[in-house]
Amino acid sequence: MRRLLTVLAAAVPLVTAAVYLPSAAAEPENSASTTFRCTSASIPLNAPAGTKIESLTAVSRPTGSVEVPPVSPLPGATIPDVPAHCEVTVTVGHPGAGDHAKVQVWLPESGWNGRFQAVGGSAFAAGDYGSALAGAVRNGYAVATTDAGVSSYLDVSWALDNKGKINKTSLENFASRSEHEAAVVAKQVANGVYGRSASYSYFNGCSTGGRQGYAEAQNYPGDYDGILADAPGIYWDEFEVATVWPQVVMNEEQTYPTKCELTLATQSAVKACDKLDGAADGIIGDPATCDYDPRRLIGTTLECEGKQVTFTAADAAVVRKIWDGPRSTSGKKLWYGPTVGADLTALADSKTGDDGTSVGAPFLVPAEWVSTFVKKQPAYDVSTAGYSEFQKLFRQSQAEFDDVIGSDDPDLSGFRESGGKLLTWHGQADQLIPTQGTVDYRERVEKKLGGAQRVDGFYRLFLAPGVNHCAGLGNTGPAPTDALGTLTKWVEQGKAPQTLSASVKDASGKTVTRDLCLYPRVPQYKGNGDLADASSFRCVRPHH
């Protein structure tokens, strides 16, 4: 549970951080005078197609702190200095379906920048619980989120009906429908409160939120002018099953490397491949060029939690299979493994009993997906699956869920024609969602829509070396500092980004800056200059 808290706590605040950072983009041209009416009567709503409005409330909140409630497994938080704002809550349902999705819209009383922003969710939570909402209000946005009528980060009690079958209404809401309906509702709310429409609309999300952003671009291309969708959980039906692969490997091979050994393998790979970009800075600039073999560690002894541990040939075999990624029983590659250099301890976690016997300890998000959605047996233990069972689970997840939650349709022509802009960054050390899946999608879009140049006109991808899932805790590489501001400039001023500004503080507290490269380019050290300064690097074509 402690590791789960660390990973989720690292991922969830990312959206907040991205919103908190001030945007350098200019004010919209027509963000002049507005009225401000925080009353239910001032907000006439037309229900989105196929829905009914069940309730609407509007409450004025004074300037002060916002208390974010504890939502398992994360603790609560206090967000200070939130400006006075109107909190509007709308409940939306589908007649006869028995669902109730809550849409929250927060609107600053003064200083509205004329923009609307929606914020996405994380894990099995469809939306935000207050942190990102408060951050956006502090930056002058009218902001919205939806709970899609489902539960929290890890509660999937909504997934199955009383007959043990998939609750299709709730799954469709979580997958994409509620996000679209929230956009329709929230824009009307802003119009009612301010007496005019928002000049521009943006979506901002990472992980589950990133997947929601892609679903919006694919299914509802007119909802947003700009979509910031980071570390996106696209190919949901594949990657969620794929990320239990480390547990399957350890179970099948009956070998459970300790956290110390997994960390040793990761650190050794980083050390071996560090200089491939010309810079000895503790970061693999282009992990695709790293061919480190963990068999080089066989026989290495290390101190681990007070015990002497020896890295064995069996440990090396497990690490190699995890990096390689899931394969069928015939050897066909099914999906991507974690990037070399990503932390393996979240997905390849295990625990050892008093008798010395080790068993797998799966990361709960993919474990819940496999047990509850795919197997429809919430008590199923994914750590007991072997290679044959894994292959069945993977194929079943694809067959049952790709259409509803895959969020991987490469036809973005509707979004392109609507004038929308899609900006994505993904950490090259993402330990939870394989980075290569995002690259795979981008390349499929290029094939579908006529090549890289045509796609770059509305969709740009940036990879962040050394950055983990949603730029959570423990990054070694610089993470984007104001991707939302960059997207805003692209949408409103036509300034398409060639690089994405990023920074991180190193172990000594010094700020390290980089300019993330537009895919497919990768960073290369110029051969001289401060390794902590972005100007010492250039973006070049990959060498693989």
Side-chain angles (χ1 to χ4, degrees):
M1 181 59 74
R2 181 178 298 174
R3 173 154 296 277
L4 175 66
L5 280 167
T6 301
V7 174
L8 273 180
V12 174
L14 181 280
V15 177
T16 307
V19 178
Y20 268 44
L21 291 167
S23 170
E27 294 278 308
E29 291 182 3
N30 61 342
S31 63
S33 62
T34 61
T35 59
F36 186 81
R37 299 167 293 186
C38 187
T39 65
S40 299
S42 68
I43 309 171
L45 285 181
N46 293 316
T51 75
K52 63 178 179 179
I53 302 299
E54 298 180 340
S55 65
L56 186 158
T57 61
V59 180
S60 292
R61 301 294 187 191
T63 299
S65 297
V66 167
E67 297 297 326
V68 179
V71 180
S72 181
L74 299 183
T78 299
I79 310 299
D81 305 320
V82 180
H85 59 283
C86 181
E87 291 187 12
V88 178
T89 303
V90 180
T91 304
V92 179
H94 297 86
D99 60 331
H100 313 281
K102 184 194 302 181
V103 180
Q104 287 198 52
V105 192
W106 292 13
L107 309 101
E109 184 176 318
S110 61
W112 182 39
N113 62 18
R115 302 181 180 99
F116 164 66
Q117 179 186 160
V119 292
S122 177
F124 290 107
D128 178 62
Y129 293 99
S131 296
L133 293 169
V137 167
R138 288 174 61 174
N139 281 329
Y141 285 88
V143 59
T145 198
T146 179
D147 67 4
V150 298
S151 302
S152 65
Y153 303 113
L154 298 176
D155 183 357
V156 294
S157 57
W158 54 270
L160 301 177
D161 62 21
N162 56 14
K163 296 181 180 179
K165 297 184 180 299
I166 293 294
N167 184 329
K168 293 182 179 179
T169 295
S170 293
L171 180 57
E172 186 176 350
N173 286 348
F174 174 68
S176 62
R177 182 166 61 181
S178 287
E179 199 61 60
H180 164 64
E181 291 166 355
V184 174
V185 166
K187 289 178 184 180
Q188 294 183 73
V189 169
N191 196 0
V193 171
Y194 292 122
R196 70 172 184 84
S197 300
S199 301
Y200 297 96
S201 297
Y202 295 92
F203 182 88
N204 184 4
C206 189
S207 193
T208 288
R211 185 196 59 75
Q212 291 168 318
Y214 274 76
E216 278 290 303
Q218 293 161 19
N219 302 321
Y220 307 102
D223 279 356
Y224 295 102
D225 301 296
I227 294 175
L228 179 61
D230 305 322
I234 51 176
Y235 297 109
W236 180 280
D237 53 300
E238 281 125 343
F239 100 80
E240 285 290 8
V241 183
T243 47
V244 304
W245 175 250
Q247 296 290 321
V248 174
V249 170
M250 293 189 300
N251 177 54
E252 184 82 26
E253 304 299 327
Q254 282 299 293
T255 298
Y256 298 85
T258 63
K259 290 182 175 65
C260 301
E261 291 168 299
L262 294 170
T263 300
L264 174 65
T266 298
Q267 292 176 343
S268 298
V270 171
K271 183 177 181 180
C273 299
D274 184 4
K275 296 181 182 179
L276 294 177
D277 62 357
D281 56 359
I283 303 168
I284 304 177
D286 181 10
T289 62
C290 183
D291 59 359
Y292 178 76
D293 190 335
R295 287 178 293 191
R296 292 164 60 178
L297 295 173
I298 294 173
T300 302
T301 59
L302 62 156
E303 186 80 14
C304 185
E305 298 179 353
K307 298 179 181 179
Q308 284 286 338
V309 176
T310 300
F311 197 94
T312 67
D315 293 324
V318 166
V319 171
R320 280 165 57 87
K321 285 179 179 289
I322 292 173
W323 278 341
D324 181 55
R327 289 187 180 272
S328 69
T329 52
S330 65
K332 180 181 179 182
K333 193 169 187 65
L334 296 175
W335 200 244
Y336 305 99
T339 306
V340 175
D343 179 16
L344 299 179
T345 62
L347 298 183
D349 198 7
S350 62
K351 53 190 177 183
T352 303
D354 294 337
D355 62 355
T357 300
S358 295
V359 294
F363 185 58
L364 288 183
V365 178
E368 289 283 12
W369 175 258
V370 171
S371 61
T372 302
F373 290 84
V374 183
K375 288 286 286 188
K376 300 166 187 63
Q377 299 173 16
Y380 176 74
D381 183 357
V382 300
S383 71
T384 64
Y387 295 142
S388 179
E389 174 72 359
F390 175 86
Q391 178 176 286
K392 293 177 182 176
L393 293 169
F394 188 86
R395 296 303 189 197
Q396 183 181 345
S397 185
Q398 284 182 310
E400 290 188 27
F401 300 106
D402 181 63
D403 287 346
V404 65
I405 200 171
S407 309
D408 56 4
D409 182 355
D411 188 358
L412 294 179
S413 57
F415 187 69
R416 177 182 62 189
E417 290 159 9
S418 75
K421 300 291 185 285
L422 172 59
L423 179 63
T424 292
W425 66 261
H426 199 149
Q428 288 275 50
D430 194 317
Q431 74 276 38
L432 299 181
I433 299 180
T435 311
Q436 197 59 33
T438 300
V439 171
D440 180 281
Y441 178 80
R442 161 68 198 210
E443 292 178 346
R444 287 179 60 224
V445 174
E446 290 179 10
K447 291 178 181 178
K448 182 73 176 180
L449 299 184
Q453 285 191 324
R454 295 191 66 184
V455 173
D456 279 345
F458 73 96
Y459 168 27
R460 296 197 168 203
L461 170 63
F462 297 85
L463 302 182
V467 175
N468 60 25
H469 187 60
C470 290
L473 302 175
N475 288 306
T476 55
T481 53
D482 189 15
L484 182 59
T486 299
L487 175 62
T488 303
K489 287 182 179 180
W490 189 13
V491 168
E492 299 176 19
Q493 302 174 29
K495 296 181 178 179
Q498 298 301 318
T499 57
L500 208 55
S501 297
S503 70
V504 70
K505 288 190 180 297
D506 65 16
S508 69
K510 181 179 181 179
T511 297
V512 177
T513 62
R514 288 285 189 279
D515 290 330
L516 304 184
C517 300
L518 177 64
Y519 178 81
R521 294 182 178 273
V522 296
Q524 183 74 39
Y525 182 51
K526 292 179 179 178
N528 54 69
D530 186 353
L531 291 178
D533 194 320
S535 65
S536 300
F537 292 77
R538 63 178 181 270
C539 293
V540 300
R541 287 283 176 182
H543 302 301
H544 52 86

